[in-house]
Amino acid sequence: MHITREEKEQLFQTHSIQQSVQDTGSSESQIALATHRIRHITAHLKSHKKDKAARLGLIKLVGKRKRQLSYLQQQDLGRYRRIITSLGLRK
């Protein structure tokens, strides 16, 4: 999977705390990037059902995002709720 620089910058600008392209380390930015990658891999697996390596990578990435969300929920509940609604993760 290759994500272009412009796509990354837009993700960081829309989901980061500072609304900045340089804010790549914030939890919101990392969660948004992981969500983008998860959606891409999920779409790939719909057409390539036997790709076990991609499935393993997806499971690892989902676990990493879950840990990041857990950390953010413990640190600042308002930011956690804001990122959940903006990415549409919980129903």
Side-chain angles (χ1 to χ4, degrees):
M1 179 200 112
H2 185 268
I3 183 170
T4 63
R5 182 181 206 156
E6 291 79 22
E7 290 174 337
K8 270 189 185 180
E9 287 176 353
Q10 191 200 11
L11 273 174
F12 295 149
Q13 194 167 15
T14 56
H15 295 292
S16 69
I17 301 170
Q18 302 169 353
Q19 303 297 322
S20 168
V21 175
Q22 278 75 31
D23 188 18
T24 59
S26 71
S27 297
E28 289 91 344
S29 298
Q30 292 180 17
I31 292 168
L33 185 60
T35 301
H36 178 77
R37 291 180 61 204
I38 287 169
R39 289 182 179 151
H40 178 77
I41 295 171
T42 303
H44 168 78
L45 284 173
K46 286 184 180 179
S47 61
H48 301 91
K49 296 183 187 333
K50 295 189 177 188
D51 190 353
K52 303 299 182 188
R55 188 171 310 279
L56 179 63
L58 176 67
I59 291 169
K60 287 182 179 182
L61 195 56
V62 168
K64 183 176 181 179
R65 183 181 70 179
K66 184 177 178 182
R67 287 191 303 273
Q68 290 172 340
L69 283 168
S70 173
Y71 169 78
L72 189 59
Q73 186 178 18
Q74 292 171 1
Q75 296 299 316
D76 191 353
L77 191 60
R79 286 172 50 198
Y80 169 78
R81 288 182 178 155
R82 205 169 22 250
I83 193 70
I84 289 296
T85 57
S86 69
L87 293 174
L89 294 179
R90 302 282 187 264
K91 294 182 181 176

